[in-house]
Amino acid sequence: MVKKDLLNSKKIAKATRIICIIFVFAALAGVVVFGGIPMIGLRSTSFDNYKPMIDSGKLDLLLILNNTPAAVFTSSEDLSTYMAVFLTRISACAAVFIVVAIFLMGLLKSVEACEPFAASNVKRLRAIAVTLIAGSVVIPVASNLVAAMNSVVADMQSYSLVDATLLLCGLLVLVISGVFAYGARLQREHDQTV
Amino acid sequence: MAIITRLDRVLADRKMQLNELAERTGISNVNLSLLKTGKVKAVRFSTLSTVCRELRCQPGDLLEYAPGEDAQEEDD
């Protein structure tokens, strides 16, 4: 009976797990390509080489995330600090995402094995909730700390201590972990019934 | 647990092995073994009915209530 109910969920869980693996690698690649490489490039090249690119709008793609006009940067320090903030933010987001994805893959694997209410899944969900709640504080605080180093970049930052979306997601997952804990207890009682 | 199973006694009286009972009832060896050793939390009526049918006995022959065990559990 249980296996029949979970048949569709098994297929979706397998597909989601494969997508999670792809997204983990994409997150790592994104940090390197969009954060690390420009950061290294900025430090080794003088601002004069970037000024034509800023004036022609070629760097707008990198700056579009903050809706920032590139012309506001007048020195390499401004640009490199902005890139540091950007790198900090995407690194923190990638770290949160990768940790959540790892726990999520474990949970999805147990769904594929038709054991959605295993005790380990309760721990996984709690770990995901803690990661999201911690990330909701760490991501904005870390990027704002780096932004505070430069007045130009600091003016453009919206200073918030908490990412409300992540916080809400974390709290929701915490509630769901409680539901799964009840489910695990019912599963245990069912398994001990002949 | 205050409820004790006497499945081993009834099996011995009927001169039947656990494997044979498992085949006749369709209940797995593992579950019957857990039932025999009293390591289960609950028994479905359907399972009890099937076992009683094959062993030609009453539920009271298989299950016994030991009040001493209950009191010990409360103390714990």
Side-chain angles (χ1 to χ4, degrees):
Chain A
M1 177 75 85
V2 174
K3 289 190 180 177
K4 199 176 167 185
D5 292 337
L6 285 174
L7 204 59
N8 283 336
S9 297
K10 275 176 73 173
K11 293 175 191 170
I12 297 168
K14 188 170 185 177
T16 310
R17 200 159 57 89
I18 292 166
I19 291 168
C20 270
I21 292 168
I22 294 168
F23 274 22
V24 164
F25 285 112
L28 287 167
V31 172
V32 170
V33 170
F34 290 107
I37 292 175
M39 215 36 222
I40 293 166
L42 269 172
R43 295 207 183 280
S44 61
T45 309
S46 75
F47 185 69
D48 292 338
N49 292 340
Y50 280 95
K51 200 162 182 329
M53 289 168 74
I54 291 172
D55 292 338
S56 64
K58 283 182 182 171
L59 277 187
D60 282 351
L61 179 63
L62 285 176
L63 302 170
I64 202 165
L65 287 168
N66 255 14
N67 201 23
T68 307
V72 83
F73 297 105
T74 57
S75 71
S76 58
E77 284 78 21
D78 292 342
L79 200 52
S80 66
T81 304
Y82 181 86
M83 287 308 300
V85 170
F86 182 59
L87 180 62
T88 306
R89 183 175 289 151
I90 64 168
S91 299
C93 288
V96 167
F97 176 78
I98 287 166
V99 169
V100 168
I102 288 168
F103 285 119
L104 195 59
M105 282 193 279
L107 193 147
L108 291 168
K109 207 169 181 179
S110 71
V111 171
E112 283 179 61
C114 293
E115 293 173 357
F117 294 109
S120 53
N121 282 347
V122 177
K123 290 178 189 169
R124 286 188 184 113
L125 282 167
R126 283 190 188 140
I128 289 171
V130 166
T131 306
L132 288 173
I133 291 168
S136 72
V137 173
V138 166
I139 292 170
V141 166
S143 55
N144 287 337
L145 273 174
V146 176
M149 293 191 300
N150 183 289
S151 60
V152 170
V153 178
D155 288 342
M156 291 183 292
Q157 290 293 314
S158 55
Y159 282 99
S160 59
L161 289 177
V162 171
D163 185 333
T165 310
L166 269 183
L167 180 64
L168 187 60
C169 288
L171 291 172
L172 275 171
V173 173
L174 199 59
V175 169
I176 290 168
S177 74
V179 173
F180 265 72
Y182 179 61
R185 189 166 68 78
L186 290 178
Q187 182 71 57
R188 207 165 43 245
E189 282 184 12
H190 175 269
D191 291 343
Q192 289 174 339
T193 300
V194 297
Chain B
M1 177 67 79
I3 301 290
I4 301 166
T5 54
R6 298 294 183 200
L7 181 61
D8 48 352
R9 191 183 291 171
V10 178
L11 280 170
D13 288 344
R14 303 289 185 271
K15 294 182 176 55
M16 192 185 294
Q17 296 294 321
L18 202 67
N19 295 338
E20 190 184 341
L21 182 63
E23 274 177 34
R24 284 189 182 186
T25 56
I27 300 166
S28 68
N29 250 327
V30 173
N31 282 347
L32 279 179
S33 178
L34 288 170
L35 183 61
K36 192 176 112 173
T37 53
K39 287 180 182 168
V40 295
K41 287 263 178 159
V43 181
R44 294 188 188 91
F45 282 157
S46 56
T47 305
L48 197 56
S49 166
T50 307
V51 172
C52 287
R53 185 190 69 222
E54 293 304 326
L55 292 177
R56 291 187 298 280
C57 66
Q58 290 294 315
D61 299 330
L62 291 171
L63 305 171
E64 193 177 303
Y65 174 65
E69 297 285 331
D70 228 1
Q72 196 173 5
E73 271 180 13
E74 281 175 15
D75 291 340
D76 290 343

